[in-house]
Amino acid sequence: MAKKRPQTKAKRPRLDDAEVPVVGAREPCPCGSGRRYKACHGRTAAQATTALVQRPFEGLPGECDWVALRELVPAATVGLTLRDGLPEGVPSVTLATVLPMAWPALRRDDGSVLLGLQNDTASGDISRDLADTLARALTADPGTPVQGRRAPADGLRLQDLLAPEGAFEPEVHSGFEFWVPDPDNATPDVTASLERANAAAIPTVRLQSVDAAYWCETPDKNHLRWVMPHEEERLLDALARLHAAGRSSLGEGTRLVGSFRAHGLTVPVWDLPSEITAQDIEKPAAEFAERLAEALAADAALTHDERRARGGLTNRQVTLS
């Protein structure tokens, strides 16, 4: 008998990374490697989608206020300006800290769009997830909420959709009544959600004398939380210089107690006596801003006392994101 010739399979041509289409996780990878997609190019795609973007709001007008509304402020809204203008049938687009039922976005009956900021996101880039939600809300049927999803790794970001110029001026609210333009006709679920949200909201005021500083009232004491744009190490050095010199407070009874880290920015926090209102702290905050500018400009090495002060501030940092 004649010998059978060994059968050989023609090798599939390998595709460039950019040419590999998305398939099911357990299917063979289209690149021709012979491995399942999830163990080959699917792994790269997943990593690209979940990679953490440290400063998701960088480059947007009002980056510090974006961070504050995402992490610190219970109830606030701000009008958004789209780079290409409003689509037909969409009279306005408004960013909101929270929406009823924790909806990621809502297309109202009149066609206007509300975009929720404080929702969980599926990827490591909040900007991309929000942009994906916003884009879908612009074309959603009026009167319907928009659900969240994991945005494509190559999807647009807020920086692509929003106009780069113009002011970003949040309006802080005492409650969430902005959810329902007609409370008498709200559904029972929305009404119940509104009542729960209002009961949990901490009274908050945005200062006018400085940028991205928010006074808030709690039962035992008040606080000032101030989102600052400066590079973290340089800011901590400056705060340490002021703290060691006894110049870091905002007046009698106030105290710089530490800071938050949030979305790539640092948020110094002061404890305030309960009798100090937001109006009371406007002038001291403006004066502190001048002292901080001087400290930021200093380039001498930290003294022993300043290093100790810096160590104390660093130990009292809490990361929010």
Side-chain angles (χ1 to χ4, degrees):
M1 292 179 64
K3 267 188 177 178
K4 288 186 178 179
R5 282 188 164 180
Q7 297 292 317
T8 59
K9 292 184 179 179
K11 289 185 177 180
R12 296 177 61 185
R14 296 293 295 269
L15 301 177
D16 293 335
D17 288 351
E19 299 174 334
V20 178
V22 176
V23 297
R26 300 179 66 83
E27 294 181 36
C29 187
C31 76
S33 67
R35 292 180 292 173
R36 290 178 177 176
Y37 180 69
K38 69 177 182 179
C40 191
H41 279 81
R43 178 182 298 173
T44 303
Q47 289 173 345
T49 301
T50 58
L52 179 64
V53 175
Q54 296 290 341
R55 288 180 63 179
F57 307 117
E58 185 176 14
L60 292 173
E63 178 188 8
C64 294
D65 282 305
W66 277 91
V67 172
L69 267 57
R70 167 75 184 185
E71 299 293 342
L72 306 174
V73 181
T77 56
V78 55
L80 299 179
T81 303
L82 302 186
R83 185 184 291 267
D84 297 327
L86 292 169
E88 184 177 356
V90 180
S92 64
V93 175
T94 302
L95 180 73
T97 49
V98 181
L99 294 180
M101 314 299 292
W103 289 326
L106 171 66
R107 181 91 185 273
R108 280 179 162 163
D109 291 336
D110 65 356
S112 61
V113 168
L114 288 177
L115 177 66
L117 181 56
Q118 292 183 10
N119 295 293
D120 292 335
T121 54
S123 82
D125 186 353
I126 297 170
S127 177
R128 186 174 63 227
D129 286 342
L130 287 171
D132 179 73
T133 301
L134 174 56
R136 290 184 292 120
L138 293 172
T139 59
D141 293 332
T144 60
V146 176
Q147 300 303 325
R149 68 176 186 181
R150 175 174 289 180
D154 59 351
L156 297 177
R157 307 179 73 238
L158 288 173
Q159 289 82 347
D160 301 312
L161 294 182
L162 302 183
E165 69 283 345
F168 186 85
E169 297 289 345
E171 179 182 358
V172 178
H173 305 278
S174 59
F176 295 87
E177 282 71 22
F178 63 86
W179 284 354
V180 281
D182 185 6
D184 294 336
N185 292 322
T187 66
D189 284 346
V190 170
T191 299
S193 184
L194 175 62
E195 291 174 353
R196 289 193 300 271
N198 280 343
I202 296 173
T204 301
V205 177
R206 182 175 183 262
L207 298 194
Q208 299 301 309
S209 58
V210 294
D211 293 332
Y214 291 81
W215 171 95
C216 66
E217 180 183 8
T218 60
D220 297 327
K221 63 183 71 174
N222 299 338
H223 305 279
L224 183 71
R225 301 162 175 173
W226 191 342
V227 187
M228 296 188 172
H230 316 292
E231 188 272 328
E232 181 181 15
E233 297 302 314
R234 191 163 68 95
L235 176 58
L236 288 174
D237 281 353
L239 292 173
R241 295 181 195 277
L242 295 175
H243 201 61
R247 304 177 70 209
S248 64
S249 77
L250 299 174
E252 185 177 353
T254 70
R255 187 166 66 98
L256 175 63
V257 292
S259 62
F260 297 130
R261 283 196 191 101
H263 307 292
L265 299 182
T266 303
V267 189
V269 177
W270 285 262
D271 278 352
L272 313 174
S274 57
E275 65 270 15
I276 290 186
T277 67
Q279 184 61 41
D280 294 333
I281 212 68
E282 290 278 9
K283 183 178 178 182
E287 293 171 346
F288 178 84
E290 295 179 359
R291 298 197 299 274
L292 180 63
E294 295 174 3
L296 286 166
D299 55 6
L302 296 182
T303 66
H304 173 72
D305 288 343
E306 290 168 347
R307 289 196 302 273
R308 286 185 59 190
R310 194 186 194 283
L313 291 172
T314 302
N315 289 337
R316 295 193 298 275
Q317 279 189 311
V318 176
T319 299
L320 300 180
S321 61

